[in-house]
Amino acid sequence: MKKILLAGLIGFALVGCVSDIKYNYVPEITQKSYPDLNVVTTTYVGDDMVRQGNVKTMDVISFPVTTQVNKFWYSYIIDAGDYPKLGEDKKYLFFAIRSVNGNSIVKSFNVAVAPVGIRVSKDSSKNQVCISFPTGTDFCENNKQFTYKKVNVTSQDGFQQTLIYNGKVGNKINIGYREFNNDIARPAFSNNVEYDLSESKIIRYKGAELEIIKATNQFIQYRVFRNFNNK
């Protein structure tokens, strides 16, 4: 009897506006290169000298402080953080339940039903925040503190290339090359190369071209003329 009553109370608590989450938002993806060309850069052993890959520019809803959404005696807690946009319709914006860096989440305090998204009305007069559930129902609370903004996030679903400084022995420097796809290193496309600086201060690898200004066992100073995409 208690279980039936509890289920009924939870069901009652989740009754609200029905709004299926929309997944129609596509972030902007651009290719970014590090460092800027023709600028003297210093990198330390084990760090990237050259890096190229995709960056996502994403719309997010940002909660500056921990935010609690209550309905009757049930609560959901939104950790402070930036939550990426999933989509929108004529009335609402929809956002994920996990922040862009994965460190912040929407979690329940005393409710067993798992949320699937954050819903916010385009009518900002009430500053209403809603927690959405797989049943298509939501529960909401007004007067919450949040803002909208854009953030740049290194894409983990694209192709990345890096050159890594591995140190110096005598006049020779060791440079590591790594390729990543879907945030996973590709062993067949990893390599270490030695360059003799007594022969040339210019080094090249897979289209990247660098001038070595100073190299020690702790750091390297250099200038990039071309990145992997020859730009």
Side-chain angles (χ1 to χ4, degrees), residues 16 36 39 76 80 86 90 96 115 138 158-159 165 181-182 188 197-198 231:
D36 292 335
V39 174
Y76 274 86
L86 299 175
K90 292 182 179 180
D138 311 271
F159 180 60
Y165 185 50
N181 200 13
N182 295 320
L197 297 182
S198 64
K231 294 181 182 180

Side-chain angles (χ1 to χ4, degrees), residues 27-32 51-58 100 151-161 180-184:
E28 178 185 352
I29 298 178
T30 56
Q31 192 174 69
K32 297 291 185 180
R51 181 172 64 250
Q52 183 172 291
N54 294 333
V55 172
K56 289 183 180 179
T57 301
M58 307 177 69
V100 292
V151 297
N152 292 327
V153 180
T154 301
S155 175
Q156 295 184 349
D157 55 4
F159 180 60
Q160 316 282 326
Q161 294 173 282
F180 296 83
N181 200 13
N182 295 320
D183 205 33
I184 300 174

Side-chain angles (χ1 to χ4, degrees), residues 73-212:
W73 50 87
Y74 299 102
S75 299
Y76 274 86
I77 298 169
I78 304 174
D79 289 340
D82 300 328
Y83 294 80
K85 184 178 179 181
L86 299 175
E88 64 180 287
D89 58 21
K90 292 182 179 180
K91 293 185 177 181
Y92 303 111
L93 301 171
F94 303 94
F95 299 89
I97 61 171
R98 185 173 293 274
S99 65
V100 292
N101 61 12
N103 293 332
S104 301
I105 61 172
V106 179
K107 55 195 175 186
S108 61
F109 178 67
N110 54 2
V111 187
V113 182
V116 293
I118 302 169
R119 186 193 65 147
V120 181
S121 174
K122 290 183 178 180
D123 178 4
S124 59
S125 60
K126 295 181 179 180
N127 280 350
Q128 186 183 73
V129 173
C130 303
I131 305 298
S132 297
F133 300 90
T135 56
T137 55
D138 311 271
F139 68 82
C140 309
E141 195 170 6
N142 297 336
N143 302 318
K144 298 302 178 183
Q145 185 180 359
F146 60 86
T147 58
Y148 302 117
K149 64 181 182 180
K150 292 182 180 290
V151 297
N152 292 327
V153 180
T154 301
S155 175
Q156 295 184 349
D157 55 4
F159 180 60
Q160 316 282 326
Q161 294 173 282
T162 63
L163 289 180
I164 303 168
Y165 185 50
N166 289 331
K168 180 183 179 185
V169 177
N171 287 322
K172 295 181 179 180
I173 59 172
N174 187 282
I175 306 295
Y177 173 76
R178 301 290 184 271
E179 288 184 4
F180 296 83
N181 200 13
N182 295 320
D183 205 33
I184 300 174
R186 305 170 67 192
F189 295 91
S190 298
N191 196 16
N192 291 313
V193 183
E194 282 190 343
Y195 294 91
D196 191 340
L197 297 182
S198 64
E199 295 182 358
S200 176
K201 301 292 185 181
I202 304 297
I203 66 172
R204 298 177 180 88
Y205 195 87
K206 283 190 174 288
E209 182 177 338
L210 299 78
E211 177 190 18
I212 308 303

